[in-house]
Amino acid sequence: MKKSIKSALISVFHKENLDEIVRELIKNDVTLYSTGGTQAFLESLGAKVIAVESLTDYPSILGGRVKTLHPKVFGGILNRRDNSGDQQQIEEYQIPEIDLVIVDLYPFEATVASKSPEQDIIEKIDIGGISLIRAAAKNFKDVAIVASQSQYRTFLEMYLENNGATTIEQRRQLAAGAFAVSSHYDSAIFNYFNEKENLNEFRESTTVSRSLRYGENPHQEARFYGDFDAMFEQLHGKEVSYNNLLDIDAAVNLIDDFSETTFAILKHNNACGLASRNEKVQAWKDALAGDPVSAFGGIVVTNVEIDKAVAEEMNTLFMEVCIAPSYTNDALEILKSKKNRILLVRKSVELPKKTFRTALNGILYQDKDIKVETVNDLKTVTKKAPTEQEVVDLLFANKLVKHTKSNTIVLAKNGQLLASGTGQTSRIDALKQAVEKAKSFNFNLNGAVMASDAFFPFSDSVEIAKKAGITAVIQPGGSIKDQDSIDFCNENGMSMVFTGIRHFKH
């Protein structure tokens, strides 16, 4: 059912791109109601505007906090055109019908993000706007609602398509968008207060999303909710997939723990190669050497600009995605030689400090594991203390173990990942996997260090490590049998440090 628009209430904070709609409304002799800055804007476009204050016989009061909250405004929006009782009342109280509401909301989230004083933030909690949105959306059978600047173009196309009218299907679509706007806005306000009040309730909302080809597997539908383009500029390659996004997330979290020139290669969210070096090409070569087999089809991430020299080395590897803070022009020319290779420039965006995931019929919500151990966190529990180089390698390995699927063991030496055992059901199996893998790529484990994401329940792990050539161990500690592992290390000239921090990753 089409409804012609004969009257409109317009009250917006963002006026950019509104002029096209206003000119069409003027052309169709639509009666316009407005107030304040929006009224002045409409009049600057040549519109004849009825001030809301003259409709309600009340001025804008309380510093602008009360402008449109009045029965003559909300009655005009909420009255049901096919309800005789409603029609009798609006005639009795001389309430004009309003067929279109264009309103947006004060920029609450932007004000919070700008670290403004709380009083400024509170003043950006919209009252009249949110009420107008909900009223118009509720009465979508008779009223069209445009609730944000992002909907201006959509509405204009509808309006022109129907020669100054809208269909019931279009109004319902606009109403759904309006409730999306209002619910997101309320979630943002709640989360602001909940940071301090901690009401133990969960709200998460995003207004940006993108469709994906499929989910983890081709038979699964999927979508990414978030502003990918705010965090990355894609310079080349195919569309980013669901699994790409998981790997990109793991890659970014991993590289952020390293300040030295570092290259990492990930596969299925785990690092299969990583090296920190003074020189880019060597860092790349040593990262690739960690597992050149698994590196095929992996995700590459670095914290330095990719130049021609390192790009020439990298180009020999088939990789799905490459992430860097920047690329030189000649490096891009080389890396773009593979048409599907995804090249991303990472932008400076603050990442969330909380994580959540679905579980059973609910949500698991936690602080993000952002702890990075330093020398001050290490407690030497053996008679022999680690050497200066071993301390460097222990902290290096501990960063890696934090970002590897549990149960995990990481073996490292001289700023290079030698091997890791990932996602095993027992710690001993993870260690055996790591040792076997390191040997398969001809790494000499003599003098290497071992990191564990959790404590050793028995001494068998350090016994195997000793036989492999490991000389120093880092682990959280906390087992009732810690002393067994300590005793073995003391008897066999190994050093061990405790961090007191477990890094499970599931």
Side-chain angles (χ1 to χ4, degrees):
M1 180 173 60
K2 287 187 179 181
K3 286 270 188 180
S4 294
I5 293 173
K6 298 176 182 178
S7 59
L9 170 63
I10 306 176
S11 179
V12 297
F13 187 89
H14 299 99
K15 300 171 182 65
E16 299 87 352
N17 303 318
L18 179 63
D19 57 313
E20 291 183 79
I21 295 175
V22 174
R23 289 192 171 94
E24 290 299 324
L25 296 176
I26 294 172
K27 191 184 301 181
N28 290 328
D29 294 322
V30 174
T31 300
L32 300 179
Y33 299 93
S34 191
T35 185
T38 305
Q39 179 179 346
F41 174 75
L42 299 181
E43 289 173 340
S44 74
L45 297 174
K48 294 179 180 179
V49 183
I50 299 173
V52 170
E53 293 87 344
S54 66
L55 173 64
T56 63
D57 289 327
Y58 270 91
S60 173
I61 61 174
L62 307 182
R65 283 189 165 197
V66 180
K67 290 182 285 191
T68 57
L69 293 168
H70 193 278
K72 281 204 171 183
V73 174
F74 282 86
I77 296 169
L78 285 165
N79 79 87
R80 292 158 289 189
R81 276 54 164 179
D82 60 357
N83 184 293
S84 60
D86 285 7
Q87 294 307 299
Q88 288 173 3
Q89 286 189 320
I90 68 165
E91 183 176 352
E92 178 184 353
Y93 295 108
Q94 298 181 328
I95 298 174
E97 290 184 342
I98 296 174
D99 304 316
L100 168 66
V101 175
I102 302 178
V103 62
D104 62 7
L105 301 170
Y106 292 155
F108 178 83
E109 288 179 283
T111 307
V112 172
S114 68
K115 311 295 184 185
S116 297
E118 180 161 87
Q119 186 54 44
D120 292 347
I121 292 171
I122 297 303
E123 288 305 315
K124 288 299 184 289
I125 297 177
D126 206 313
I127 303 301
I130 202 80
S131 301
L132 290 168
I133 287 171
R134 291 178 63 85
K138 177 178 180 176
N139 202 25
F140 70 88
K141 184 177 179 182
D142 297 305
V143 179
I145 172 65
V146 179
S148 75
Q149 189 179 24
S150 64
Q151 295 174 333
Y152 289 175
R153 174 55 54 183
T154 299
F155 170 75
L156 182 60
E157 290 173 356
M158 293 175 178
Y159 186 72
L160 294 174
E161 175 189 337
N162 292 287
N163 298 314
T166 56
T167 67
I168 183 64
E169 293 80 14
Q170 290 170 338
R171 292 193 298 278
R172 186 182 182 91
Q173 178 187 339
L174 290 170
F179 283 122
V181 168
S182 66
S183 64
H184 175 78
Y185 195 75
D186 285 339
S187 293
I189 295 169
F190 167 78
N191 285 327
Y192 169 75
F193 282 95
N194 197 42
E195 280 188 7
K196 294 180 181 178
E197 304 305 327
N198 193 20
L199 300 179
N200 294 322
E201 294 192 23
F202 178 78
R203 303 283 190 283
E204 185 65 28
S205 175
T206 180
T207 59
V208 182
S209 69
R210 61 162 63 187
S211 62
L212 302 173
R213 296 194 302 275
Y214 52 80
E216 212 160 3
N217 300 291
H219 65 276
Q220 295 171 269
E221 292 186 5
R223 194 169 190 88
F224 173 67
Y225 290 92
D227 194 351
F228 184 82
D229 293 335
M231 189 165 179
F232 298 101
E233 178 184 1
Q234 183 167 346
L235 303 178
H236 184 71
K238 63 184 180 180
E239 180 184 341
V240 174
S241 71
Y242 181 98
N243 290 328
N244 289 155
L245 287 167
L246 289 176
D247 282 328
I248 291 168
D249 177 68
V252 165
N253 287 315
L254 171 64
I255 203 69
D256 280 354
D257 280 353
F258 292 86
S259 56
E260 313 87 346
T261 295
T262 301
F263 278 79
I265 307 169
L266 291 88
K267 200 73 171 286
H268 295 292
N269 311 158
N270 295 305
C272 58
L274 186 146
S276 296
R277 296 287 183 265
N278 293 327
E279 198 273 321
K280 296 178 188 179
V281 171
Q282 196 59 50
W284 165 253
K285 288 182 176 179
D286 289 347
L288 180 60
D291 187 345
V293 175
S294 296
F296 182 85
I299 303 290
V300 174
V301 65
T302 183
N303 54 8
V304 294
E305 181 177 72
I306 294 179
D307 57 24
K308 180 181 179 181
V310 71
E312 287 176 336
E313 295 290 336
M314 294 171 66
N315 201 43
T316 61
L317 175 71
F318 168 66
M319 52 183 161
E320 286 259 334
V321 181
C322 181
I323 309 164
S326 59
Y327 304 78
T328 62
N329 290 334
D330 44 10
L332 278 177
E333 186 177 346
I334 293 167
L335 295 175
K336 285 182 178 180
S337 62
K338 303 295 190 292
K339 70 175 184 178
N340 288 327
R341 179 182 287 158
I342 298 168
L343 301 179
L344 300 176
V345 173
R346 185 180 173 189
K347 302 176 185 178
S348 179
V349 173
E350 185 177 355
L351 294 175
K353 297 296 190 297
K354 305 283 186 178
T355 66
F356 61 91
R357 63 197 292 184
T358 58
L360 303 175
N361 62 342
I363 297 287
L364 285 171
Y365 184 78
Q366 66 173 353
D367 294 332
K368 187 175 182 180
D369 185 1
I370 57 175
K371 174 67 177 176
V372 179
E373 285 74 24
T374 67
V375 173
N376 295 330
D377 296 307
L378 305 185
K379 177 184 178 183
T380 301
V381 294
T382 50
K383 295 176 181 177
K384 181 180 180 182
T387 65
E388 186 175 338
Q389 181 58 49
E390 284 175 337
V391 169
V392 172
D393 282 337
L394 288 169
L395 292 172
F396 173 90
N398 203 56
K399 292 177 183 178
L400 274 159
V401 89
K402 166 186 164 184
H403 295 281
T404 307
K405 235 32 164 173
S406 299
N407 287 310
T408 181
I409 293 289
V410 166
L411 307 179
K413 183 165 69 173
N414 297 327
Q416 181 184 21
L417 170 62
L418 304 184
S420 59
T422 62
Q424 298 302 301
T425 52
S426 76
R427 199 154 305 283
I428 196 79
D429 285 345
L431 174 56
K432 289 177 180 178
Q433 182 190 53
V435 170
E436 181 181 346
K437 191 173 185 180
K439 289 181 177 179
S440 72
F441 293 115
N442 300 314
F443 282 116
N444 181 358
L445 291 178
N446 290 321
V449 304
M450 174 173 73
S452 175
D453 61 337
F455 63 65
F456 295 114
F458 306 104
S459 63
D460 48 4
S461 291
V462 289
E463 292 172 17
I464 293 173
K466 170 63 179 177
K467 291 178 183 177
I470 303 298
T471 56
V473 179
I474 185 170
Q475 59 139 319
S479 169
I480 60 174
K481 293 190 175 182
D482 277 343
Q483 196 60 45
D484 290 355
S485 296
I486 294 171
D487 289 343
F488 180 86
C489 289
N490 285 332
E491 292 164 6
N492 289 274
M494 299 173 70
S495 62
M496 179 184 287
V497 297
F498 285 1
T499 64
I501 302 294
R502 190 181 72 186
H503 286 298
F504 271 164
K505 184 184 178 188
H506 295 110

